[in-house]
Amino acid sequence: MSELSLIEHKSYIGQDFLTWLLAMSEIRGGEMHVPKCGKFDLIFDQKVIMTSAAEKVAWTGEITSIDQIRAAIRTGKKVLEAQFRLTAGPKEWRFNLNTRTFQFKGVKTPKILAREDTEILYDKLDVLDELIGFIDELFSEFVRRRLDRQSWEAEVDAIRNWLNWT
Amino acid sequence: MGFLSSSTAFTRFFLIGDPPVNLQEHFTEAVRANAFWDIEKTDAERGLGWVEFDDFTSDAFDPPERTFLADLVVLTLRIDKRSIPATVRRLYVKREEDAYRRKTGRKHLSKTEREEIGDKVEKDLLAKILPTPSLYDVIWNVPNATVLLGTTSQAVISDFMELFHKTFGLDLRLTHPFALGETFCNDEQEIATWAEVEPAVFSAISAGEGEGESHE
């Protein structure tokens, strides 16, 4: 299977991850904790792009409230991209993450204070690496749960309950 | 889009294979050999190659230390393109076809004649249109064996992966969810389990979509 076919064939993994992330973020009140990164806040930030492959004409559109997102997932729509705000101590990142290839868009990082060109580059790369580290650690947690049938069943139950929140 | 901009977008890659120890020594000439070639004085539609990270007008990579930093390789992929607006092309093709009709006294032109006129018009117009540069920053983190490309465009990603391979003789793999998940597996058994993971069913409707997916 070519890499592009593999990406398409396994696209549900990213969709399930972002659904899990949206649910966990709200269930945990935004407070996340992963071993390598410690505590940080991750909250849904006003925009999710969803699609429904089940409809004859694929529907893709923006949804801006978490209630609407829950309603859309209940009707079988899938998350394609979501916008988040992540805060760790005094640092804040805003970004969109897509489910197909984990590309980051619209990334706004904490302010860079360095003035010399190479220092600015290294500092910018540090804050981008930090952001990637947070997301990778969350994805690693998702993978651990996904690999363990009992653990994943508990997560799915929690997400189903979350979908019925009003 | 640049990594130093206030808002950035990027695609991540894993590096496949082991690069040599001294990258600057091994790759400075290869980067220069694949530097951007300017199409301004030609009628080419597209020019593509590396330029320096902090100066998109420079393809000298001199001194190479500006490109090969302590543990990073920083480059910019520059793609210049000429494009003829469709209405402009239609207008000039019609003028040429009308002139050809008057000259030959014929009302109808053959398919070959129309194609020849179209090609000539395109070539003449391309030579008159200034190319538009697009710049995409590249950061290769050597210790992490990862590469960031400052775009999410699929077309640019393909061009970039090809040029990276041509320059460094190394392949890249997109950091998509399935590939990233494999790196978090601890052994062959987990990799096999990961490969068998099926779509989750969060709602009754998604379970009944009947898209040929198998569900747990």
Side-chain angles (χ1 to χ4, degrees), chain B residues 29-172:
Chain B
E29 282 315 311
V31 169
R32 286 179 181 146
N34 290 284
F36 171 76
W37 56 279
D38 201 342
I39 58 169
E40 193 174 331
K41 288 172 185 159
T42 72
D43 60 1
E45 273 188 84
R46 203 171 83 124
L48 173 153
W50 306 120
V51 290
E52 292 190 24
F53 187 83
D54 53 359
D55 181 1
F56 75 95
T57 64
S58 174
D59 57 5
F61 301 95
D62 189 22
E65 288 78 9
R66 289 215 304 247
T67 299
F68 297 90
L69 306 178
D71 47 9
L72 301 175
V73 179
V74 293
L75 292 158
T76 295
L77 170 64
R78 178 171 166 180
I79 302 176
D80 281 19
K81 274 187 198 166
R82 283 188 169 92
S83 59
I84 306 166
T87 46
V88 173
R89 188 186 185 282
R90 260 205 326 268
L91 173 72
Y92 282 83
V93 167
K94 186 171 184 318
R95 277 187 192 167
E96 281 295 312
E97 285 180 354
D98 288 347
Y100 191 78
R101 284 190 187 96
R102 282 194 300 275
K103 190 176 146 191
T104 57
R106 284 163 43 210
K107 197 175 174 187
H108 298 291
L109 307 184
S110 69
K111 192 181 170 209
T112 312
E113 286 169 326
R114 286 205 310 277
E115 279 174 1
E116 281 172 5
I117 289 170
D119 288 348
K120 183 183 174 300
V121 167
E122 213 161 85
K123 199 165 183 287
D124 291 347
L125 287 175
L126 280 174
K128 288 177 189 165
I129 292 173
L130 283 176
T132 306
S134 299
L135 306 168
Y136 309 98
D137 286 348
V138 177
I139 300 178
W140 174 0
N141 184 321
V142 181
N144 290 352
T146 56
V147 176
L148 298 183
L149 170 67
T151 185
T152 56
S153 154
Q154 189 53 54
V156 176
I157 288 168
S158 300
D159 286 336
F160 163 70
M161 289 175 81
E162 197 176 310
L163 185 65
F164 191 94
H165 177 83
K166 193 175 160 207
T167 308
F168 302 107
L170 294 162
D171 285 319
L172 296 170

Side-chain angles (χ1 to χ4, degrees), chain A residues 5 9 52 59 63 80 88 99 118 150-151 153:
Chain A
S5 304
H9 182 63
S52 173
W59 174 89
I63 293 181
L80 289 184
T99 57
T118 308
Q150 277 189 323
S151 172
E153 280 171 4

Side-chain angles (χ1 to χ4, degrees), chain A residues 49-106:
Chain A
I49 298 174
M50 303 189 78
T51 191
S52 173
E55 291 166 13
K56 280 184 182 171
V57 177
W59 174 89
T60 302
E62 280 184 23
I63 293 181
T64 54
S65 98
I66 197 78
D67 290 336
Q68 287 176 320
I69 292 166
R70 279 198 292 266
I73 295 171
R74 281 200 303 268
T75 63
K77 290 188 168 62
K78 309 282 187 189
V79 179
L80 289 184
E81 186 176 312
Q83 187 172 307
F84 291 99
R85 192 164 74 229
L86 191 156
T87 315
K91 295 180 181 173
E92 182 182 277
W93 293 258
R94 298 178 89 145
F95 60 96
N96 291 358
L97 183 66
N98 84 0
T99 57
R100 187 175 170 273
T101 46
F102 276 174
Q103 290 170 317
F104 287 78
K105 295 179 191 172

